[in-house]
Amino acid sequence: MLSVDELRGAVGAGTIDTVVLAFTDMQGRLQGKRLAAEFFIDEVLHHHAEGCDYLLAVDVEMNTVEGYAMSSWERGYGDFVLVPDLGTLRMLPWHEGTALALADLAWTDGTPVTASPRQILKAQTDRLAARGWTAFAGTELEFCVFTDSYEQAHAKAWRDLTPANLYNVDYSVLGTGRVEPLMRRIRLGMAGAGLYVESSKGECNLGQHEIAFRYADAVTTCDNHSIYKTGAKEIAAQDGMSITFMAKPNVREGNSCHIHLSLRDSAGSPVLAGDGPYGLSPAGEHFLAGQLTGLADLTLFYAPNVNSYKRYVPGSFAPTAVRWGVDNRTCSLRLVGSGLSLRPENRVPGGDVNPYLAVAAMIAAGLEGIENELPLEPPSQGNAYTDPGPRVPTTLRDAMHTWLNSHLARKAFGNDVVEHYANGARVELAAFDAAVTDWELQRCFERL
């Protein structure tokens, strides 16, 4: 991490010449500008930088699309401003002479851009702060590694790619050794960018891996998540390889992003832990009950893409039942840890999740449970895949309709945010509905 004075010194010494100023968009991607470091110090520190407001109103392909109130042809596609959060200033070791600062988004009159994911999360952490509470979060982000470069993958139409491992390397030291040069570069790069790396390990899908980081306050964790996701792709590309975080890249196990969330009070004591059943406090029981009650309503923030819903297959370690259990990986919510570390693990999000939105949803649902003192149902025992109870939404269309009709979503995030992200889902669905897939060609080209 860098202070402004350290940045000035490095620029004067010629060791830093570029500053990336970026924010996370709706899709969870870093967007922004590469600025000359001298210009960043002389101008941007005091006057911010500008970007077109369409950056929060486009699809994955960066197409301008209809339906957004904040940005459109009718509104002229004006600017918002990128306000550097200097507490995020750091080196980017995998780019020579480069530092990075994350930005909050504001309109030119200084009011916040409410649809910005970082602002959505901050609004929820502010609700916690009003109670004297702080949220701590950790995200476990899985990805698949291929020996093909991104350009080669594109040329092959993303078919017949070669995974970095040709068998299941879950916890395998031998198997992960095959890709250790890349994993080491990513781990060291992230450490050099101010992230606290804990470990890396193999996963079940071919070439699938996970790098784990130390938990932090919710906003910092989501900042780090966004930097890591972009940086891992950039480092892989520098090595002539490719990484995908898409939720379901093939018929095998999908890429998950399990999210752990705990609360502490102003004295640093746990809010969720207590003397009740399973080590929970009354607030912890209500918080967990709120997670369950709000899960379907807020699934759009956990599973934002058409592909996200392909993960939810029985026996795949991705959840299908809206249930909780004590250290039970078949449930949507798994209670783990004890005392200060007692926390729910939300297993619904995939690798394509926007972390700011997902953590904001968890906080909002938990606060709903606390404010209404919702009772916690008994934990699921055994295999929750066979549970006959409520299910995780199975399509983006179902999740969008539930989101639009959710009193919780509108209460927690406001009508503008609900409509903005519902429109994002409509755009994604329209693009998917218009596509002709390989599955259709294989079934229909000759035989129908």
Side-chain angles (χ1 to χ4, degrees):
M1 307 298 290
L2 291 172
S3 69
V4 173
D5 287 342
E6 288 170 332
L7 176 65
R8 286 194 177 99
V11 172
T15 56
I16 293 178
D17 53 64
T18 302
V19 176
V20 177
L21 182 63
F23 68 94
T24 303
D25 69 5
M26 290 175 66
Q27 291 81 11
R29 306 171 298 187
L30 287 185
Q31 306 281 22
K33 298 180 178 181
R34 282 181 164 81
L35 305 168
E38 185 176 13
F39 175 75
F40 178 84
I41 290 171
D42 290 345
E43 298 293 337
V44 177
L45 280 180
H46 311 290
H47 304 295
H48 317 317
E50 297 77 31
C52 180
D53 63 19
Y54 97 129
L55 291 168
L56 281 181
V58 291
D59 65 8
V60 174
E61 306 264 10
M62 299 298 291
N63 295 314
T64 53
V65 291
E66 299 294 327
Y68 288 108
M70 63 164 272
S71 180
S72 64
W73 292 113
E74 289 72 23
R75 293 178 64 90
Y77 284 119
D79 277 349
F80 46 44
V81 296
L82 282 66
V83 183
D85 180 342
L86 298 178
T88 69
L89 189 62
R90 69 194 68 212
M91 294 295 298
L92 281 189
W94 56 94
H95 288 303
E96 185 177 358
T98 300
L100 173 139
L102 296 179
D104 287 316
L105 299 183
W107 296 111
T108 53
D109 65 1
T111 57
V113 178
T114 56
S116 167
R118 200 167 191 255
Q119 272 58 59
I120 290 172
L121 175 57
K122 283 187 170 183
Q124 299 306 309
T125 58
D126 286 347
R127 293 178 65 194
L128 292 175
R131 293 172 172 264
W133 296 349
T134 301
F136 289 86
T139 59
E140 300 177 327
L141 189 55
E142 295 174 351
F143 54 88
C144 290
V145 183
F146 297 92
T147 60
D148 312 81
S149 69
Y150 284 111
E151 290 73 21
Q152 290 167 337
H154 183 276
K156 292 181 176 181
W158 300 277
R159 300 187 189 94
D160 302 320
L161 305 184
T162 303
N165 300 99
L166 301 179
Y167 56 88
N168 181 330
V169 296
D170 193 21
Y171 289 95
S172 169
V173 174
L174 175 64
T176 53
R178 297 288 184 89
V179 292
E180 173 58 9
L182 175 61
M183 294 297 107
R184 182 173 181 269
R185 275 202 70 201
I186 296 174
R187 292 196 308 267
L188 294 179
M190 295 308 125
L195 283 67
Y196 190 119
V197 181
E198 290 188 350
S199 63
S200 61
K201 66 178 286 290
E203 292 288 345
C204 298
N205 201 339
L206 304 185
Q208 189 177 48
H209 296 264
E210 173 187 295
I211 298 177
F213 299 88
R214 176 71 59 89
Y215 71 89
D217 70 89
V219 175
T220 297
T221 287
C222 295
D223 290 346
N224 290 345
H225 178 120
S226 299
I227 292 166
Y228 159 54
K229 193 172 183 180
T230 296
K233 291 180 181 180
E234 292 177 334
I235 292 169
Q238 290 169 1
D239 281 0
M241 303 173 77
S242 57
I243 282 175
T244 184
F245 292 92
M246 68 183 293
K248 189 75 169 178
N250 51 45
V251 297
R252 291 178 62 97
E253 295 83 2
N255 288 319
S256 67
C257 179
H258 304 146
I259 299 179
H260 299 248
L261 184 68
S262 64
L263 304 179
R264 296 182 192 174
D265 63 22
S266 56
S269 300
V271 173
L272 305 183
D275 298 327
Y278 318 107
L280 290 164
S281 66
E285 292 186 28
H286 299 322
F287 190 83
L288 196 53
Q291 300 288 314
L292 290 169
T293 301
L295 193 145
D297 282 20
L298 306 182
T299 293
L300 184 64
F301 271 8
Y302 300 139
N305 301 300
V306 168
N307 180 257
S308 308
Y309 297 82
K310 305 292 178 71
R311 280 182 59 242
Y312 306 133
V313 177
S316 67
F317 288 101
T320 58
V322 182
R323 292 293 189 223
W324 78 280
V326 179
D327 197 14
N328 187 337
R329 285 182 168 87
T330 69
C331 299
S332 291
L333 296 173
R334 171 180 170 239
L335 187 67
V336 292
S338 61
L340 195 64
S341 71
L342 185 73
R343 64 203 184 274
E345 173 196 63
N346 189 333
R347 299 178 62 81
V348 174
D352 59 341
V353 74
N354 186 320
Y356 298 97
L357 302 181
V359 175
M362 291 182 69
I363 294 171
L367 284 175
E368 184 74 3
I370 288 173
E371 290 169 357
N372 294 284
E373 298 186 348
L374 298 180
L376 180 62
E377 66 183 41
S380 178
Q381 305 288 344
N383 186 0
Y385 288 116
T386 62
D387 190 290
R391 318 305 287 174
V392 176
T394 56
T395 68
L396 179 61
R397 186 169 277 106
D398 289 343
M400 179 188 70
H401 288 314
T402 305
W403 166 263
L404 276 169
N405 293 307
S406 170
H407 170 74
L408 168 59
R410 293 184 183 276
K411 174 185 172 184
F413 305 119
N415 290 330
D416 290 348
V417 169
V418 168
E419 296 297 335
H420 189 92
Y421 282 89
N423 193 64
R426 290 190 199 98
V427 168
E428 170 89 350
L429 285 164
F432 180 73
D433 290 343
V436 178
T437 66
D438 289 349
W439 183 87
E440 292 168 283
L441 288 168
Q442 290 170 4
R443 289 175 72 88
C444 304
F445 187 87
E446 177 181 350
R447 288 173 284 185
L448 297 184

